[in-house]
């Protein structure tokens, strides 16, 4: 199963590419494209209607402003949808965050922090890992690498403080 990354506009691409980058790191097949809830509603309906038949397991949908794409796609499929609120207006993403997260009961969208498409990619991989043990192992290795990185940074800072005599 693949992860489909969609976004309302090409102006969202620099943020949404972070989801693709981490999915590539984790060895998860993915596609990326533009689907706008407001400007291409018919394309959005077709995308959602065909998603399951197209082998998609999780959808990551990013949008800014009146960010209706994640919620509308979620209303059209039972595949899990992860929403990425994008900072695209003077409201710096708070408009998109509230548009995406405040879904009515019955149609959930898993929402990550503003512009945090990387977390959306990781969460999508975690969902797919429920039925993919090789991916689960890669996720464990990914976590271990993060732990080592932070421990190295902590040790380097401790050493700097020690040299200062603090
Ligand atoms: C939203 O409007 C898009 O997701 C984008 O974040 C924002 C601005 O789009 P453009 O005017 O840059 O195409 O629908």
């Amino acid at each position: 199963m693949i992860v489909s990354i969609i976004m309302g506009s090409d102006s969202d691409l620099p943020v949404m590419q972070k989801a693709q980058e981490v999915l590539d790191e984790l060895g998860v097949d993915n596609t990326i494209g533009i689907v706008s809830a407001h400007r291409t509603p018919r394309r959005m309906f077709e995308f959602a209607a065909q998603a399951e038949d197209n082998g998609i397991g999780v959808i990551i949908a990013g949008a800014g402003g009146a960010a209706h794409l994640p919620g509308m796609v979620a209303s059209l499929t039972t595949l899990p949808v992860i929403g990425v609120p994008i900072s695209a207006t003077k409201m710096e993403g708070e408009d998109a965050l509230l548009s995406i997260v405040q879904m009515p009961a019955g149609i959930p969208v898993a929402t990550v922090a503003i512009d945090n498409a990387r977390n959306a990619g990781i969460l999508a991989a975690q969902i797919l890992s429920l039925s993919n043990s090789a991916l689960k192992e890669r996720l464990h290795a990914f976590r271990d690498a993060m732990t080592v990185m932070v421990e190295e940074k902590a040790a380097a800072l401790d050493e700097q403080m020690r040299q200062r005599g603090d």
Side-chain angles (χ1 to χ4, degrees), residues 125-162:
Q126 289 179 193
I127 293 168
L128 291 186
S129 78
L130 291 171
S131 57
N132 181 337
S133 56
L135 177 55
K136 195 173 270 276
E137 273 178 35
R138 292 201 293 279
L139 279 161
H140 280 295
F142 179 82
R143 285 272 175 105
D144 291 345
M146 244 184 333
T147 302
V148 168
M149 192 179 71
V150 173
E151 280 170 354
E152 283 172 358
K153 285 182 180 173
L157 185 58
D158 288 349
E159 177 59 19
Q160 271 181 38
M161 293 301 112
R162 198 187 60 73

Coordinates of all heavy atoms in Angstrom, one line a residue, residues 125-162:
A125 N 3.4 6.3 8.0 CA 4.3 5.0 8.0 C 3.9 4.1 9.2 O 3.8 2.9 9.1 CB 5.8 5.4 8.1
Q126 N 3.7 4.8 10.4 CA 3.3 4.0 11.5 C 2.0 3.2 11.3 O 1.8 2.1 11.7 CB 3.2 4.9 12.8 CG 4.5 5.4 13.3 CD 4.5 6.3 14.5 OE1 5.5 6.9 14.8 NE2 3.4 6.4 15.1
I127 N 1.0 3.9 10.6 CA -0.3 3.2 10.3 C 0.0 2.0 9.4 O -0.5 0.9 9.7 CB -1.3 4.2 9.7 CG1 -1.6 5.3 10.8 CG2 -2.5 3.5 9.2 CD1 -2.4 6.5 10.2
L128 N 0.8 2.2 8.4 CA 1.0 1.1 7.4 C 1.8 0.0 8.1 O 1.7 -1.1 7.7 CB 1.7 1.6 6.2 CG 0.9 2.6 5.3 CD1 1.7 2.9 4.0 CD2 -0.4 2.0 4.9
S129 N 2.6 0.3 9.1 CA 3.5 -0.7 9.7 C 2.6 -1.7 10.5 O 3.1 -2.7 10.9 CB 4.5 0.0 10.7 OG 3.9 0.4 11.9
L130 N 1.4 -1.4 10.8 CA 0.5 -2.3 11.5 C 0.4 -3.6 10.7 O 0.2 -4.7 11.3 CB -0.9 -1.7 11.7 CG -1.0 -0.6 12.7 CD1 -2.3 0.1 12.7 CD2 -0.6 -1.0 14.1
S131 N 0.5 -3.6 9.4 CA 0.4 -4.8 8.6 C 1.7 -5.0 7.8 O 1.6 -5.6 6.7 CB -0.8 -4.7 7.7 OG -0.7 -3.5 6.9
N132 N 2.8 -4.5 8.3 CA 4.1 -4.6 7.5 C 5.2 -4.6 8.5 O 5.7 -3.6 9.0 CB 4.2 -3.4 6.6 CG 5.4 -3.4 5.7 OD1 6.4 -4.0 6.1 ND2 5.4 -2.7 4.6
S133 N 5.7 -5.8 8.9 CA 6.6 -6.0 9.9 C 8.0 -5.4 9.5 O 8.7 -4.9 10.4 CB 6.8 -7.4 10.4 OG 7.1 -8.2 9.3
A134 N 8.4 -5.4 8.3 CA 9.6 -4.9 7.8 C 9.6 -3.4 8.1 O 10.6 -2.8 8.5 CB 9.9 -5.2 6.4
L135 N 8.5 -2.7 7.8 CA 8.4 -1.3 8.0 C 8.5 -1.0 9.5 O 9.1 0.0 9.9 CB 7.1 -0.8 7.4 CG 6.8 0.7 7.6 CD1 7.9 1.6 7.1 CD2 5.5 1.1 6.8
K136 N 7.8 -1.8 10.3 CA 7.9 -1.6 11.7 C 9.3 -1.7 12.2 O 9.7 -0.8 13.0 CB 7.0 -2.7 12.5 CG 6.8 -2.3 13.9 CD 5.8 -3.3 14.6 CE 4.3 -2.9 14.4 NZ 3.8 -2.0 15.4
E137 N 10.1 -2.6 11.7 CA 11.5 -2.6 12.1 C 12.3 -1.4 11.7 O 13.1 -0.8 12.5 CB 12.2 -3.8 11.5 CG 12.0 -5.1 12.3 CD 12.7 -6.3 11.6 OE1 13.7 -6.1 10.9 OE2 12.1 -7.4 11.7
R138 N 12.0 -0.9 10.5 CA 12.6 0.4 10.1 C 12.2 1.5 11.0 O 13.0 2.4 11.2 CB 12.3 0.7 8.6 CG 12.9 -0.3 7.6 CD 13.0 0.2 6.2 NE 11.7 0.4 5.6 CZ 11.0 -0.6 5.0 NH1 11.4 -1.8 5.0 NH2 9.8 -0.3 4.4
L139 N 11.0 1.6 11.4 CA 10.5 2.6 12.3 C 11.3 2.5 13.7 O 11.6 3.6 14.2 CB 9.0 2.6 12.5 CG 8.2 3.2 11.4 CD1 6.7 2.7 11.4 CD2 8.2 4.7 11.5
H140 N 11.5 1.3 14.1 CA 12.3 1.2 15.4 C 13.7 1.7 15.2 O 14.2 2.4 16.1 CB 12.3 -0.3 15.8 CG 11.0 -0.7 16.5 ND1 10.6 -0.2 17.7 CD2 10.1 -1.6 16.2 CE1 9.5 -0.7 18.1 NE2 9.1 -1.6 17.2
A141 N 14.3 1.4 14.1 CA 15.7 1.9 13.8 C 15.7 3.4 13.7 O 16.6 4.1 14.1 CB 16.2 1.2 12.5
F142 N 14.6 4.0 13.1 CA 14.5 5.4 12.9 C 14.4 6.1 14.3 O 15.1 7.1 14.5 CB 13.2 5.6 12.1 CG 12.8 7.0 11.8 CD1 13.4 7.7 10.8 CD2 11.8 7.7 12.6 CE1 13.0 9.1 10.5 CE2 11.4 9.0 12.4 CZ 12.0 9.7 11.3
R143 N 13.6 5.5 15.2 CA 13.5 6.0 16.6 C 14.9 5.9 17.3 O 15.3 6.8 18.0 CB 12.5 5.2 17.4 CG 11.1 5.5 17.1 CD 10.6 6.7 17.9 NE 9.2 7.1 17.5 CZ 8.2 6.8 18.2 NH1 8.3 6.1 19.3 NH2 7.0 7.1 17.8
D144 N 15.5 4.8 17.1 CA 16.8 4.6 17.8 C 17.8 5.6 17.3 O 18.6 6.2 18.1 CB 17.4 3.1 17.5 CG 16.5 2.1 18.2 OD1 15.7 2.4 19.1 OD2 16.7 0.9 17.8
A145 N 17.8 5.9 16.0 CA 18.8 6.9 15.5 C 18.5 8.3 16.0 O 19.4 9.0 16.3 CB 18.6 6.9 13.9
M146 N 17.2 8.6 16.2 CA 16.9 9.9 16.8 C 17.4 10.0 18.3 O 17.9 11.0 18.7 CB 15.3 10.0 16.9 CG 14.9 11.2 16.0 SD 13.1 11.5 16.1 CE 12.3 10.0 16.5
T147 N 17.2 8.8 19.0 CA 17.7 8.8 20.4 C 19.2 9.0 20.5 O 19.7 9.8 21.3 CB 17.3 7.4 21.0 OG1 15.9 7.3 20.9 CG2 17.7 7.4 22.5
V148 N 19.9 8.3 19.6 CA 21.4 8.5 19.6 C 21.8 9.9 19.3 O 22.6 10.5 19.9 CB 22.0 7.5 18.6 CG1 23.5 7.8 18.3 CG2 21.8 6.1 19.0
M149 N 21.1 10.5 18.3 CA 21.4 11.9 17.9 C 21.2 12.9 19.1 O 22.1 13.7 19.4 CB 20.5 12.3 16.8 CG 20.9 13.6 16.1 SD 19.8 13.9 14.7 CE 18.3 14.4 15.6
V150 N 20.1 12.7 19.8 CA 19.8 13.6 21.0 C 20.8 13.3 22.1 O 21.4 14.3 22.7 CB 18.4 13.4 21.5 CG1 18.2 14.3 22.7 CG2 17.4 13.9 20.4
E151 N 21.2 12.1 22.3 CA 22.1 11.8 23.3 C 23.5 12.4 23.0 O 24.2 12.9 23.9 CB 22.3 10.2 23.5 CG 21.1 9.7 24.4 CD 21.0 8.2 24.5 OE1 21.8 7.5 23.7 OE2 20.2 7.7 25.2
E152 N 23.9 12.3 21.7 CA 25.2 12.9 21.3 C 25.1 14.4 21.5 O 26.1 15.0 22.0 CB 25.4 12.6 19.8 CG 25.9 11.2 19.7 CD 26.1 10.8 18.2 OE1 25.7 11.6 17.3 OE2 26.5 9.6 18.0
K153 N 24.0 15.1 21.2 CA 23.9 16.5 21.4 C 24.0 16.9 22.9 O 24.6 17.8 23.3 CB 22.6 17.0 20.8 CG 22.6 17.1 19.3 CD 21.3 17.7 18.8 CE 21.3 17.8 17.3 NZ 20.0 18.1 16.7
A154 N 23.3 16.0 23.7 CA 23.3 16.3 25.2 C 24.7 16.1 25.7 O 25.2 16.9 26.5 CB 22.3 15.3 25.8
A155 N 25.4 15.1 25.2 CA 26.8 14.9 25.7 C 27.7 16.0 25.3 O 28.5 16.5 26.1 CB 27.3 13.6 25.2
A156 N 27.5 16.5 24.1 CA 28.4 17.6 23.6 C 28.1 18.9 24.4 O 29.0 19.6 24.8 CB 28.1 17.9 22.1
L157 N 26.8 19.2 24.8 CA 26.5 20.3 25.6 C 27.1 20.2 27.0 O 27.6 21.1 27.6 CB 25.0 20.6 25.6 CG 24.5 21.8 26.3 CD1 25.1 23.1 25.7 CD2 23.0 21.9 26.3
D158 N 26.9 19.0 27.5 CA 27.5 18.7 28.9 C 29.0 19.0 28.9 O 29.5 19.6 29.8 CB 27.2 17.2 29.3 CG 25.8 17.0 29.6 OD1 25.0 17.9 29.7 OD2 25.4 15.8 29.7
E159 N 29.6 18.6 27.8 CA 31.1 18.8 27.7 C 31.4 20.3 27.7 O 32.3 20.7 28.4 CB 31.6 18.0 26.5 CG 33.1 18.1 26.3 CD 34.0 17.7 27.4 OE1 33.5 16.9 28.3 OE2 35.2 18.1 27.5
Q160 N 30.6 21.0 26.9 CA 30.9 22.5 26.8 C 30.7 23.1 28.1 O 31.5 24.0 28.5 CB 29.8 23.1 25.8 CG 30.3 23.1 24.4 CD 29.1 23.8 23.5 OE1 28.5 24.7 24.0 NE2 28.9 23.2 22.4
M161 N 29.7 22.7 28.9 CA 29.4 23.3 30.2 C 30.5 22.9 31.2 O 30.9 23.7 32.0 CB 28.1 22.8 30.7 CG 26.9 23.3 30.0 SD 26.7 25.1 29.9 CE 27.1 25.4 28.2
R162 N 31.0 21.7 31.0 CA 32.1 21.2 31.9 C 33.3 22.1 31.7 O 34.0 22.5 32.6 CB 32.4 19.7 31.6 CG 33.2 19.0 32.8 CD 33.6 17.6 32.3 NE 34.4 17.6 31.1 CZ 35.7 17.9 31.1 NH1 36.3 18.4 32.2 NH2 36.4 17.9 30.0

